[in-house]
Amino acid sequence: MGIALIKLIVVAAALVAAIVPVRAEIRILASPGGQVGPFLELFDRVRESGERVVIDGPCLSACTLVLMTVPAERICVTRRAVLGFHAARSIDGRGRIYAEPEASIAVHAAYPAPVRDWISRRGGLNSRLLLLRGRELAAIYPRCR
């Protein structure tokens, strides 16, 4: 093989590598949740980036907002994935917890229909943590490859 041909192959391979989009992903290994605002900001950035989300462990509380923010076709789950849902609540300056029924209704309505239906079949969002995992989760979101 001549030097010119080798250079041509290297340049062609570099061009293909530059054109083919890199498939980046965000991997959730363990999230207990937290304040809603930072999660919504993060997941808005993830949605805009085009990255795929791999849920590979517990994604609880505010972490589940990923389901309403990132398109379902860009979310996959592993066998370790667990989604945990509960009613919305606030904590005041003294550490007291208050139910936020209007926020719970809005959050429930914003989840994708299969998730809403699963939550509804379990009595809806309340103070109890509802855990979606295993076969039930895999029936809603595909397993990661």
Side-chain angles (χ1 to χ4, degrees):
M1 219 187 268
I3 301 255
L5 185 55
I6 292 173
K7 284 182 181 177
L8 180 62
I9 292 171
V10 170
V11 169
L15 284 174
V16 169
I19 295 170
V20 176
V22 174
R23 190 90 177 162
E25 65 184 31
I26 300 295
R27 186 170 292 266
I28 299 172
L29 298 173
S31 175
Q35 293 182 341
V36 168
F39 276 90
L40 287 176
E41 291 172 16
L42 170 66
F43 295 142
D44 279 342
R45 288 194 307 269
V46 171
R47 182 190 65 237
E48 291 169 8
S49 76
E51 292 173 302
R52 179 174 82 144
V53 174
V54 175
I55 302 175
D56 190 20
C59 175
L60 310 177
S61 191
C63 178
T64 65
L65 299 176
V66 69
L67 306 177
M68 66 180 66
T69 310
V70 175
E73 62 272 8
R74 291 194 1 234
I75 297 174
C76 68
V77 297
T78 70
R79 295 187 187 281
R80 291 180 295 276
V82 179
L83 300 175
F85 306 90
H86 63 78
R89 56 189 179 221
S90 294
I91 301 174
D92 70 11
R94 293 183 171 160
R96 291 181 293 200
I97 298 173
Y98 294 94
E100 295 282 359
E102 295 84 14
S104 293
I105 292 168
V107 167
H108 183 264
Y111 282 127
V115 174
R116 273 196 321 267
D117 294 344
W118 183 89
I119 291 169
S120 294
R121 287 192 306 271
R122 276 142 194 87
L125 295 174
N126 55 54
S127 60
R128 207 175 32 128
L129 187 64
L130 300 173
L131 298 175
L132 174 57
R133 60 182 151 201
R135 287 188 189 128
E136 290 179 305
L137 179 55
I140 298 173
Y141 289 96
R143 291 276 188 209
C144 302
R145 299 183 193 270

